[in-house]
Amino acid sequence: MPSSFNVQNAAGYEQLMGRWSRTLAPLLIDFAGLADGERVIDVGCGTGSLTFALPKAADLAEIVAIDYSPVFVAAARKRNKNRRITIQEADACALPFDDGRFDRAMSLLVLHFVPEAGKAIGEMRRVVRPGGVVAAAVWDHIGGMPVMRMALDTMAVLDENARELRSRYCFQPMMQPGEMKKSFVKNGLTEVEEASLLIRMNYKSFDDFWEPIAAGEGPLGKYVATLNPAQKAETDAAVRAAYEAGRPDGPRSFASVAWACRGVVP
């Protein structure tokens, strides 16, 4: 099942989101738990933000990372120096592994881009042994991502298509309070808990924020790529004004919240 996330190149993704995924990864690991000797699967590894954080947290026997995007898989493989980590292309909704193969399955910032997110949760449960843990985190787009809402709300004033994008972006799968927990329970997981994870996104300047989006990365970038030169110039200026908020360009810090959920395989 392909992801709805738009990726042009790994470097652009790193600037757009990878650096923040790396900041969030240890929080998900702490929430999910981890123990020496375990076998773990990272479902939707991207460029490896969670994958490469896992061996820093415990002496694991094996880490398997999968992603649907060949761009991400190639980038993660290039970074990999750990013989216990293997990275491959695979579908989160049809994991190519035996039942109960892993002690834990984790997914960082992926499920909201999977059209059949519930099916992916079911697959994570299937490949984890009884007593093992399934855990995932997704951004709270509607209420917990002020920097992206700032850009989207600004663009929505200018263009009806941006208003449609905002509606889709804010209500992607697994983002509403209790939604992921309900899906975990529906897929047979027990002792299900939901929490919020908080990081800050610190930008050096407007360009540090806007450059990957202007280059076409991510959902906002996909929209920006459809604009004609005049529309793009107007959008760039309006979002810059929102970022600067009447002060000179420079560093800005935005709180960002992810929903997290974990459950135990019975």
Side-chain angles (χ1 to χ4, degrees):
M1 177 59 62
S3 167
S4 62
F5 187 83
N6 180 60
V7 58
Q8 301 294 317
N9 63 73
Y13 171 81
E14 279 294 302
Q15 185 177 355
L16 175 69
M17 193 54 64
R19 51 182 165 168
W20 313 127
S21 300
R22 287 195 298 276
T23 303
L24 186 63
L27 277 66
L28 177 61
I29 293 171
D30 287 346
F31 175 71
L34 202 60
D36 292 347
E38 290 188 335
R39 301 180 184 276
V40 181
I41 181 170
D42 176 4
V43 178
C45 65
T47 53
S49 298
L50 176 61
T51 306
F52 300 121
L54 287 165
K56 296 177 182 178
D59 183 16
L60 300 175
E62 180 186 24
I63 301 166
V64 175
I66 69 100
D67 202 281
Y68 193 83
S69 166
V71 173
F72 283 152
V73 170
R77 282 177 173 169
K78 187 175 181 179
R79 291 179 58 195
N80 186 28
K81 309 297 181 186
N82 190 325
R83 63 181 178 80
R84 296 182 186 180
I85 296 175
T86 58
I87 303 162
Q88 66 185 77
E89 287 184 45
D91 185 343
C93 293
L95 295 173
F97 304 106
D98 293 338
D99 295 0
R101 160 82 183 276
F102 301 98
D103 298 291
R104 294 181 199 261
M106 299 188 197
S107 181
L108 179 66
L109 305 180
V110 174
L111 293 180
H112 49 318
F113 291 112
V114 178
E116 293 186 77
K119 190 173 182 180
I121 292 169
E123 277 293 276
M124 292 169 70
R125 177 198 182 281
R126 180 184 65 78
V127 301
V128 170
R129 63 167 175 80
V133 172
V134 173
V138 302
W139 289 124
D140 177 5
H141 277 182
I142 191 168
M145 290 285 281
V147 67
M148 296 302 177
R149 282 297 305 270
M150 173 195 75
L152 271 170
D153 290 344
T154 301
M155 293 188 291
V157 173
L158 303 175
D159 181 38
E160 180 180 352
N161 291 330
R163 292 193 287 275
E164 294 175 359
L165 168 64
R166 180 175 59 182
S167 180
R168 294 195 305 272
Y169 182 86
C170 289
F171 294 96
Q172 287 176 260
M174 302 294 127
M175 286 188 171
Q176 304 311 302
E179 185 179 3
M180 194 160 37
K181 182 176 182 179
K182 183 178 179 180
S183 188
F184 269 49
V185 171
K186 183 178 180 180
N187 278 283
L189 292 159
T190 63
E191 301 176 42
V192 179
E193 298 179 46
E194 188 176 70
S196 295
L197 308 178
L198 170 68
I199 67 166
R200 295 200 72 90
M201 295 181 172
N202 298 311
Y203 296 97
K204 298 175 183 177
S205 65
F206 173 69
D207 286 343
D208 188 31
F209 163 65
W210 189 244
E211 191 173 65
I213 297 172
E217 291 295 337
L220 277 65
K222 186 176 182 180
Y223 161 78
V224 170
T226 68
L227 302 177
N228 63 44
Q231 289 174 316
K232 188 173 186 302
E234 182 182 30
T235 298
D236 289 354
V239 178
R240 175 184 287 276
Y243 175 92
E244 294 177 353
R247 297 291 182 91
D249 189 14
R252 301 290 191 272
S253 181
F254 298 87
S256 301
V257 177
W259 291 111
C261 198
R262 68 183 175 201
V264 176
V265 178

